Amino acid sequence: MYATVPPAPADYLRCTILELTRVLAATAERRADIRPLMILLWSRLRRLADRFAALAARAAAGPLPAPRRRPPAARPSRPRPPGTRLPEGFAWLIRMVPEARFANTRIS
């Protein structure tokens, strides 16, 4: 019997997001009312996976530098245009797309 190497966290996250976007695409195909929201969500998930993969690559290359302490920049509050915010609250995606709960993740 061969020992298996567990997948890297970045690969696991990438596969999880890929499977979730497949489920969301199938739902968006049936429901036109949530298509704009799904596009926003796909973009957010892809950016999350890319940022996590970059951080994991930096960590694998050696120790990360200590974080710099700096005061938070005061940003002027500007309202977002309608349709550019994702919903908030616990399990909002599961309530909107129940099939997302059963997204099966496979590392290939």
Side-chain angles (χ1 to χ4, degrees):
M1 175 156 257
Y2 295 102
T4 59
V5 177
D11 292 335
Y12 187 77
L13 180 63
R14 179 186 53 81
C15 288
T16 300
I17 288 174
L18 179 63
E19 188 62 29
L20 181 58
T21 55
R22 286 182 187 152
V23 170
L24 296 175
T27 302
E29 197 171 296
R30 293 188 316 269
R31 293 184 48 198
D33 62 321
I34 65 169
R35 286 181 191 153
L37 182 63
M38 292 301 108
I39 292 169
L40 287 173
L41 185 57
W42 292 334
S43 299
R44 172 104 27 114
L45 289 171
R46 290 292 193 184
R47 283 193 313 269
L48 172 74
D50 292 345
R51 289 177 66 197
F52 187 80
L55 180 62
R58 284 181 53 206
L64 295 174
R68 293 182 289 176
R69 303 255 185 230
R70 55 183 168 200
R75 293 185 179 178
S77 176
R78 70 179 173 184
R80 290 183 178 223
T84 61
R85 281 190 72 96
L86 290 173
E88 295 178 356
F90 182 75
W92 66 265
L93 181 60
I94 300 298
R95 285 192 305 273
M96 185 178 292
V97 184
E99 298 89 0
R101 176 181 302 205
F102 304 106
N104 183 17
T105 57
R106 295 178 295 276
I107 304 291
S108 48

